[in-house]
Amino acid sequence: MVHSQMHVPGQRRRKLSAFGAVFVTAIGGVGFAAAVTAAPAHAAVPAPPAGFTLTWSDDFSGPANTGLDTGTWKYDTGPGSSFGTGEIETMTNSTANVYQDGAGHLVLKAIHTGTDPSSGWTSGRVETQAATFGAPAGGVVRMESVIQQPNVTTANGAGYWPAFWMLGEPLRRGVSWPGSGEVDILEDINGRSSVFGTLHCGVNPGGPCNESSGIGSGEHACLGCQTGFHDYAVEIDRSASPEEIRWYLDGNNYFTLPASRVDTATWANAVDHPFFVIYDLAMGGGFPSAFGGGPTTSTVSGGTMVIDSVAVYNKGPGSGGGTNIAQGKTATTSSVTGNNTAAMAVDGSTGTRWESAQGVDPQWITVDLGQSYNITSVNLNWEAAAAKSFQLQTSQDNTSWTSIYSTTTGAGGDQTLAVSGTGRYLRMYGTQRTTPYGYSLWELGAQGTPGGGGGTSSLLSQGKTATASSVTGNNTAALAVDGSTGTRWESAQGVDPQWLQVDLGGTRAIDKVVLNWETAAAKSYLIQTSDDGSTWTTLYTTTTSTGGVQTLNITGRGRYVRMNGTARTTQYGYSLWEFQVFGS
């Protein structure tokens, strides 16, 4: 069988199912592939598999009946009818539907009120704020979660639709589904004790990936999945030739999909980039309907999807091979403590380290790669004194910087980050520490391919005159074009629309805009140009922005460039650390 999960910007679409496969082993009146045995629940995040390092994890250790940390997780709320797949629940952020149980679990709970089984359902859906989980060129990424499916059966579980999946980061930048990529790691429906794995790619409908069905594993038995914890994982392997995706249930590889199944461009667009992780417990819709429908009058209320842990692991290019383009190169820093110089972070030894001055923000370390590279992966091996908030930035001239990664929830450790950026210079720019001390890196590594000389495009906006519709406090417009990610513009709170514009001093050809949002970001905004500051032309528009660092490749001309915000992500205003305009 094959099926689909859809996610359309602005509508939070989820899944629409279609099927067609033959099963060989009958269990309970339906056909399955070979069954697997149950895995015990884990008290902590599983250890990295051989050759992998832990990139990020969550074991949901919050107090009982508390919600999630919204710095790490984002609630997707609203009626299931808006997801485009026939779901009938309403997703909420209430602890009645989404909560930590105090025993190291995240619980998504579907609750029914009333007497009509086709209405009155609430449930939960959450996704990671970070969209940075992927495999660098030549490397491997593994997404893994220990989960107990809802404890229902085919007799009382019609309509239940639990899922653990991920969507391509380009979706958050306006690239349409399914071209932006989707990998479904776990889906089950109607209490069938099974698992489906699927890749969505290409175009919808039809196309090389048979959308909206996608390319899938078919149904595989998972006996005891409703009554015990099982380990669900997927690996994207970009070291294989051809590249491939592998699906695992309790450590058993039950489906492998090689890149050769589709054309090169379709695969690259769907797979060769970072992802973000999603959990949800839907009720009703196309997928359950394909197996008899539901909910019905026999469907029980209160079924729960219980998540014990989630983890992302990475294996570097060539698994310890690959070329570290930063090793042995010239490194400089904002400061040094003792003999822990910048060079020690690029010497290939995890027994030496760079350490910045203590108790001072911001701090940075820059590596001159010697020539321009298309950078696909950066490794940060932190000593205990790590960065909580930092950016990875690139530059062609060591003066004008572009952010290619940003986080405010860094936890240290050994991080391998899938990125996409071009430059001769690579910088870790730390703005907040995890300890009272400084910033300290055992090693800073990078992978990439030569190229991307930068052309004639340059940063046009830095230091130019900026104005805004309003200002809060001392956070003036000029602070968004001063080249510092430690200062920001902030508009008046609670008022739409608001705008920030920069005068480039003359009409310029514009090819890129980078917005580095503070938490108070725009959900809906336009990028506009003007020759006179009065008549505006729109070059870009979105209604589904999620903030962070956004790089927009656009084409236009103008003397003035404006971010015109029309809806906010918070109850506050609009706030930008930096507003950068590139062109010639």
Side-chain angles (χ1 to χ4, degrees), residues 168-516:
E169 178 274 337
L171 189 73
R172 289 186 173 174
R173 294 186 279 111
V175 177
S176 62
W177 185 94
S180 53
E182 176 182 326
V183 179
D184 305 335
I185 307 169
L186 154 68
E187 289 185 282
D188 184 30
I189 32 80
N190 300 346
R192 291 172 65 87
S193 293
S194 60
V195 59
F196 298 80
T198 308
L199 170 69
H200 295 280
C201 51
V203 296
N204 184 44
C209 306
N210 188 35
E211 298 299 350
S212 59
S213 298
I215 305 174
S217 65
E219 187 172 18
H220 286 255
C222 184
L223 301 183
C225 282
Q226 271 65 38
T227 57
F229 286 91
H230 286 247
D231 193 311
Y232 304 87
V234 74
E235 291 179 359
I236 298 175
D237 188 346
R238 299 184 63 192
S239 70
S241 182
E243 295 180 1
E244 64 184 27
I245 305 175
R246 297 183 291 269
W247 280 259
Y248 296 85
L249 176 58
D250 294 327
N252 298 306
N253 175 206
Y254 70 89
F255 179 48
T256 297
L257 178 63
S260 55
R261 285 285 298 274
V262 298
D263 63 90
T264 301
T266 294
W267 181 271
N269 291 337
V271 176
D272 294 347
H273 51 62
F275 290 80
F276 56 98
V277 172
I278 306 176
Y279 292 101
D280 67 302
L281 178 55
M283 296 299 299
F287 197 179
S289 292
F291 287 85
T296 69
T297 54
S298 298
T299 302
V300 65
S301 174
T304 59
M305 179 181 180
V306 184
I307 300 111
D308 184 75
S309 65
V310 59
V312 178
Y313 308 96
N314 277 91
K315 185 186 294 187
S319 287
T323 301
N324 180 357
I325 59 177
Q327 188 169 322
K329 300 296 175 62
T330 301
T332 55
T333 66
S334 51
S335 64
V336 169
T337 292
N339 295 320
N340 298 314
T341 63
M344 293 183 174
V346 292
D347 63 357
S349 170
T350 56
T352 61
R353 62 188 174 94
W354 161 65
E355 181 182 357
S356 77
Q358 298 186 5
V360 180
D361 295 311
Q363 298 285 337
W364 51 262
I365 179 170
T366 297
V367 182
D368 180 356
L369 302 175
Q371 69 179 89
S372 183
Y373 281 86
N374 296 310
I375 301 169
T376 57
S377 173
V378 174
N379 174 255
L380 300 167
N381 189 348
W382 293 101
E383 196 255 355
K388 180 179 181 182
S389 299
F390 68 91
Q391 297 180 55
L392 296 177
Q393 302 172 321
T394 58
S395 175
Q396 296 291 357
D397 58 9
N398 205 21
T399 299
S400 300
W401 293 93
T402 299
S403 292
I404 59 174
Y405 173 83
S406 180
T407 184
T408 59
T409 58
D414 191 351
Q415 299 177 302
T416 299
L417 307 171
V419 298
S420 178
T422 300
R424 170 175 172 169
Y425 299 88
L426 172 65
R427 179 166 75 172
M428 187 293 297
Y429 191 86
T431 54
Q432 185 180 359
R433 292 157 285 117
T434 59
T435 74
Y437 306 105
Y439 298 82
S440 186
L441 280 165
W442 295 111
E443 281 293 293
L444 189 161
Q447 286 76 40
T449 56
T456 60
S457 182
S458 59
L459 179 59
L460 306 175
S461 54
Q462 190 164 310
K464 299 297 175 63
T465 300
T467 55
S469 52
S470 63
V471 170
T472 291
N474 295 321
N475 298 315
T476 62
L479 298 179
V481 293
D482 64 355
S484 171
T485 56
T487 60
R488 62 188 174 95
W489 162 67
E490 181 182 358
S491 76
Q493 298 185 6
V495 180
D496 295 312
Q498 297 286 337
W499 52 262
L500 172 76
Q501 69 185 47
V502 59
D503 180 356
L504 302 178
T507 299
R508 305 289 186 184
I510 298 159
D511 56 33
K512 182 170 66 175
V513 171
V514 178
L515 303 104
N516 186 347

Side-chain angles (χ1 to χ4, degrees), residues 16 152 477:
L16 182 64
V152 296

